[in-house]
Amino acid sequence: MLAMYIRVKRSKTTYFLQCDPTETILDIKQKLHALIDQPVNDQRLILVATSEVLDDSKTLADQKVENDAVVALTLKKDDNEFEDVNIERPEDFVPTP
Amino acid sequence: MKKEDTVKLISEEGFEFVIHKNAAMVSQTIRNMLTSSGSFAETQHGVVTFPEIRTVILEKVCQYFYWSLQSASGNKTEFHIEPQLSMELMMAANYLHT
């Protein structure tokens, strides 16, 4: 049963993650950890539609992260700050409504 | 989800889409690549490059894979396709046996 999926984007890469509305953001970060070897504490997730930084303890449903939502992944840099949102688009990218 | 359960699809412009193998196997072409016992490099590394599929089209294809899994499990939502993408999307779908 596939309840929903989200698209996590950073630079030129998109991760499609299968998830459930009752899962927390921490659960999502743990899934990403398995894919990218970055500890959960070094990850920050931002809902692109609202630019809202997502809270570890809250669920996807709590924060209105819906099926097919685009979430930006940013990582902690060497100076302990998080990098800015960086999602590359192909040159011919046309935003769709 | 383990890394071994995913496959990376790379578009014409070098953009990468990491999706679950179950979703990728909606495409008969990708299924054949991933499950064949032959010498496809794709089988070993879980990376498939599509130098002829644009990023926007490949992302739409990936979204379709997941929509397809959802609709198989009872979801009745429609799959939206922008008219300007439809021709290219059909060609990609034909190639991918999707």
Side-chain angles (χ1 to χ4, degrees):
Chain A
M1 175 67 196
L2 172 57
M4 63 178 280
Y5 70 91
I6 57 172
R7 289 176 283 157
V8 177
K9 291 180 179 259
R10 177 173 179 266
S11 186
K12 295 174 101 169
T13 304
T14 302
Y15 303 90
F16 280 68
L17 295 186
Q18 296 177 208
C19 43
D20 192 273
T22 59
E23 285 182 290
T24 64
I25 301 305
L26 189 60
D27 293 330
I28 302 300
K29 289 181 177 177
Q30 272 154 357
K31 290 182 186 192
L32 281 167
H33 170 66
L35 295 179
I36 61 171
D37 294 330
Q38 293 284 344
V40 294
N41 291 333
D42 289 359
Q43 302 175 25
R44 177 178 278 173
L45 295 175
I46 297 154
L47 184 60
V48 169
T50 59
S51 303
E52 190 180 352
V53 176
L54 299 173
D55 190 335
D56 276 0
S57 61
K58 293 187 183 162
T59 67
L60 292 168
D62 284 342
Q63 299 183 101
K64 309 267 188 303
V65 181
E66 294 175 340
N67 188 43
D68 194 43
V70 177
V71 174
L73 167 67
T74 67
L75 299 175
K76 205 177 262 184
K77 298 180 292 183
D78 293 338
D79 60 7
N80 239 13
E81 297 287 315
F82 280 96
E83 64 190 2
D84 292 333
V85 172
N86 169 22
I87 299 176
E88 287 192 45
R89 310 266 191 215
E91 279 171 24
D92 56 2
F93 178 78
V94 181
T96 49
Chain B
M1 180 160 83
K2 294 195 296 266
K3 207 170 180 175
E4 305 84 75
D5 296 333
T6 64
V7 56
K8 184 185 281 185
L9 310 183
I10 304 180
S11 72
E12 177 184 330
E13 299 97 335
F15 284 67
E16 301 179 347
F17 297 93
V18 178
I19 65 174
H20 202 272
K21 274 187 182 166
N22 289 348
M25 288 197 196
V26 169
S27 157
Q28 193 62 45
T29 305
I30 297 177
R31 175 186 288 269
N32 290 344
M33 287 174 177
L34 294 177
T35 56
S36 77
S37 52
S39 56
F40 276 117
E42 290 86 349
T43 317
Q44 277 123 45
H45 303 111
V47 178
V48 189
T49 307
F50 295 103
E52 286 161 4
I53 303 184
R54 290 195 301 138
T55 306
V56 279
I57 301 294
L58 192 56
E59 178 154 25
K60 204 76 193 174
V61 167
C62 292
Q63 287 172 287
Y64 175 79
F65 290 160
Y66 280 86
W67 177 86
S68 174
L69 293 184
Q70 288 175 327
S71 68
S73 61
N75 187 317
K76 294 286 195 293
T77 57
E78 283 183 22
F79 188 73
H80 178 76
I81 293 172
E82 293 77 8
Q84 70 271 25
L85 295 183
S86 56
M87 187 63 201
E88 244 180 300
L89 202 57
M90 270 197 288
M91 292 193 297
N94 182 46
Y95 171 68
L96 292 168
H97 289 271
T98 298

